Amino acid sequence: MFSSELVEVMIRLSEAFGPSGFEREVRELMGNLLAGSAAISYDNLGSILAVHQGQADEPKILLAAHLDEVGLMIRGSLPGGYLKAVPLGSWWSPALIAQQVLIGSRNGKHRGVIGAKPPHYLEEAEKNRQPGMGELYIDVGARSQTEVAELGIAVGDPVVPAVKTDFLSVTNTLIGKAFDDRAGCAVLVQVIRELSNNHPNRVIGAGTVQEEVGMKGARALANLVRPDICIVLEGAPADDFPGAGGIMQGKLGAGPQLRRFDPSMIANQHLVNLAIKTAQSIQLPYQVAVREGGGTDGSAFQIQTTGGVPTIVIGVPVRYAHSHHGIIHCGDLEATVTLVKALIQRLDAATVNQIKLNPWG
C-alpha cells in the first residue's frame, strides 16, 4: 500500500501554479513541505535548496527536480477580446485545442479555453493538417480589449492548464497536470522528510527553475552547489501506450526508470550500475532506459562545473507528459522514494571516489 502522505504531497505539488519563469507558488509550497526537515535557502534565479546533514560534510549528494511546468505566456489581445500566447516549453499544438487554462494576472487567476477554428469553417486543405501554435487563441469570455484590461490580464502574464488532480478508477493511478516534474519534486520532498541523520554524506535537495526553457536554473545552481554526485529526479515520458513501439522501458507500475542515455546526456554508468544493484538488493522493481529523445537538467549538472559531476536520471514514468492530463502510478512514486533513500546510504566517500575514478563501472 502506498503512502497517503506521499500522495497528498504529489497532489498539492501537481495543482500548484508554476510555469517556467513563474515558479514562486511551487517553490513556496516545497519550502513549507520541507520546513523542519532541512535547512532552506535560495539562489539568485529562484531555485530552492534544502540541505540535510548526515554524518559527513562530504561527499555532497545533489537531488534535483525542476519546479516548472510547461505553460504559456500572454503576448497580447485581439480587438474581439481573444488572447494570443507563446509557449513556455514544448507543446504539441493539437493537444491544446479545447482545453481549459488558468491565466495568472495582477487581479488573480482567470479561467479560459484554448480556441481554434471549428471544423464547420475549415477549408479542405485545412482539414488535412494540424494547426500551428500561432493559429490558437485563449477565450476568457471577453468581448473587447477593454474587457480584457478590466480583468487585469496583461502582456507577459503566465498560463497553465486548469486541471485538478484525482484518482482514476483503476487502483493506485493519478491523473493530473505537471507530473513532469512535480513527480520528481514529490519524491525529493519525501526522501528528505524520511532521511535519518546517519547517511554518510550531505544531501542537498534542489528544486530548479526554468528547466523546460533551457535548463537555466540547473546551470546556475550547479556552479553554486558543486556536488560530488547528482541524482536527477524526473517525470519521465512513459512508453506503454498504443503505437509507442515494441521496446518498452517506461511502463506504469513497473518501478522507477534508470536512464543510461538520452540525446542530451550519457549517464555515469558506474552510478547506474550501483542503482541497479541497490534496487536488486532490496527486491525493488526498476526499469532501465536508453531514450531516443528528450533531455533533462542532468546534462547541465553533468558538465557545468569544473571537472564534471557523475550524474544519473531516475524517472517516475508519466503517460502523456507535456499535455493537460498526465497519468502516474503511485507505486512508482513509492518505489522511487525507497530506491533513492537506499542509494544515498551507499554513497559514502570511498564509493563516490570509485565512481569518479571509474565512470564505466
Side-chain angles (χ1 to χ4, degrees), residues 38 83 109 170 174 215 265 269 306 325-326 341-342 348 354:
L83 304 170
K109 297 183 177 74
V170 176
L174 282 172
M215 300 169 288
M265 187 191 85
Q269 302 300 302
T306 302
H325 301 92
K341 285 168 49 185
D348 56 20
Q354 285 302 309

Side-chain angles (χ1 to χ4, degrees), residues 30-41 48-53 188-189 191-193 195 197 203-206:
M30 182 175 280
N32 291 336
L33 291 169
L34 288 171
S37 299
I40 305 297
S41 61
I48 183 171
L49 291 160
V51 178
H52 191 285
Q53 185 61 52
L188 188 155
V189 166
V191 166
I192 290 181
R193 279 178 158 186
L195 275 180
N197 293 323
V203 173
I204 304 167

Side-chain angles (χ1 to χ4, degrees), residues 155-179:
V155 173
D157 283 345
V159 184
V160 299
V163 175
K164 287 290 185 182
T165 307
D166 204 351
F167 283 99
L168 290 173
S169 297
V170 176
T171 306
N172 297 353
T173 53
L174 282 172
I175 184 168
K177 74 170 181 68
F179 291 153

Side-chain angles (χ1 to χ4, degrees), residues 102-123:
L102 287 177
I103 303 166
S105 80
R106 66 176 184 270
N107 292 341
K109 297 183 177 74
H110 301 285
R111 189 174 295 269
V113 66
I114 305 285
K117 187 187 289 188
H120 318 73
Y121 297 92
L122 293 176
E123 303 291 339

Side-chain angles (χ1 to χ4, degrees), residues 163-243:
V163 175
K164 287 290 185 182
T165 307
D166 204 351
F167 283 99
L168 290 173
S169 297
V170 176
T171 306
N172 297 353
T173 53
L174 282 172
I175 184 168
K177 74 170 181 68
F179 291 153
D180 175 13
D181 181 30
R182 306 292 162 69
C185 292
V187 170
L188 188 155
V189 166
Q190 198 67 14
V191 166
I192 290 181
R193 279 178 158 186
E194 293 182 7
L195 275 180
S196 63
N197 293 323
N198 66 354
H199 52 89
N201 43 52
R202 181 169 18 149
V203 173
I204 304 167
T208 62
V209 298
Q210 299 190 43
E211 189 266 1
E212 298 290 1
V213 291
M215 300 169 288
K216 295 177 177 62
R219 296 180 194 280
L221 193 133
N223 287 304
L224 176 64
V225 174
R226 302 185 68 81
D228 295 291
I229 293 288
C230 181
I231 301 171
V232 174
L233 303 170
E234 260 290 355
D239 56 9
D240 60 348
F241 56 88

Side-chain angles (χ1 to χ4, degrees), residues 183-315:
C185 292
V187 170
L188 188 155
V189 166
Q190 198 67 14
V191 166
I192 290 181
R193 279 178 158 186
E194 293 182 7
L195 275 180
S196 63
N197 293 323
N198 66 354
H199 52 89
N201 43 52
R202 181 169 18 149
V203 173
I204 304 167
T208 62
V209 298
Q210 299 190 43
E211 189 266 1
E212 298 290 1
V213 291
M215 300 169 288
K216 295 177 177 62
R219 296 180 194 280
L221 193 133
N223 287 304
L224 176 64
V225 174
R226 302 185 68 81
D228 295 291
I229 293 288
C230 181
I231 301 171
V232 174
L233 303 170
E234 260 290 355
D239 56 9
D240 60 348
F241 56 88
I247 298 177
M248 192 178 300
Q249 299 178 335
K251 181 180 179 181
L252 261 64
Q257 183 193 78
L258 309 178
R259 188 177 300 189
R260 288 197 182 275
F261 170 93
D262 66 43
S264 74
M265 187 191 85
I266 301 174
N268 181 288
Q269 302 300 302
H270 193 152
L271 186 53
V272 175
N273 292 340
L274 179 63
I276 290 171
K277 291 176 183 176
T278 301
Q280 291 172 340
S281 71
I282 55 178
Q283 299 183 319
L284 196 75
Y286 66 92
Q287 306 172 77
V288 180
V290 172
R291 293 281 314 280
E292 293 182 302
T296 73
D297 273 344
S299 62
F301 285 121
Q302 187 182 49
I303 62 172
Q304 196 67 22
T305 60
T306 302
V309 179
T311 301
I312 184 175
V313 177
I314 301 180

Side-chain angles (χ1 to χ4, degrees), residues 7-26:
V7 171
E8 179 188 354
V9 167
M10 180 69 260
I11 291 173
R12 292 179 66 187
L13 285 166
S14 170
E15 293 182 350
F17 187 105
S20 303
F22 300 88
E23 300 93 346
R24 176 166 48 185
E25 187 173 310
V26 191

Side-chain angles (χ1 to χ4, degrees), residues 88-157:
L88 294 174
S90 174
W91 287 98
W92 186 52
S93 54
L96 283 165
I97 297 173
Q99 297 287 349
Q100 291 190 48
V101 294
L102 287 177
I103 303 166
S105 80
R106 66 176 184 270
N107 292 341
K109 297 183 177 74
H110 301 285
R111 189 174 295 269
V113 66
I114 305 285
K117 187 187 289 188
H120 318 73
Y121 297 92
L122 293 176
E123 303 291 339
E124 281 303 315
E126 294 176 308
K127 293 179 181 178
N128 296 317
R129 67 170 181 83
Q130 66 185 44
M133 190 69 69
E135 298 173 65
L136 308 182
Y137 53 85
I138 301 173
D139 189 342
V140 293
R143 295 165 295 175
S144 67
Q145 290 173 320
T146 300
E147 288 191 353
V148 170
E150 289 172 348
L151 290 172
I153 297 174
V155 173
D157 283 345

